Amino acid sequence: FGRHCGVVGSVGGGRVRVRVGASTPLMVAQVLAGWGGLVEVVEPGGVAVRAELGRLGRELVARYGS
């Protein structure tokens, strides 16, 4: 994300909280999807990004799932 991502702070357990910016929730989800289960989307705007991640996941399972 380059300049569109900034570390906000540590949440413990080796995890950090970051703020990510993009034009649309889909754009955020497309990049975050590459991190798989290593990422947890919270707020603000988390509902829309989580919905897009779910949609992308369903598309991938439909195409590549066994």
Side-chain angles (χ1 to χ4, degrees):
F1 277 65
R3 63 185 173 90
H4 299 287
C5 180
V7 175
V8 176
S10 175
V11 293
R15 296 172 47 184
V16 295
R17 181 177 293 252
V18 298
R19 176 163 290 143
V20 176
S23 298
T24 67
L26 174 59
M27 292 173 74
V28 174
Q30 287 171 328
V31 174
L32 294 181
W35 289 89
L38 295 174
V39 67
E40 178 183 5
V41 176
V42 291
E43 57 181 315
V47 172
V49 173
R50 286 192 299 270
E52 290 293 352
L53 282 169
R55 187 184 60 73
L56 290 171
R58 288 187 298 278
E59 284 182 9
L60 291 169
V61 168
R63 176 156 303 185
Y64 301 108
S66 52

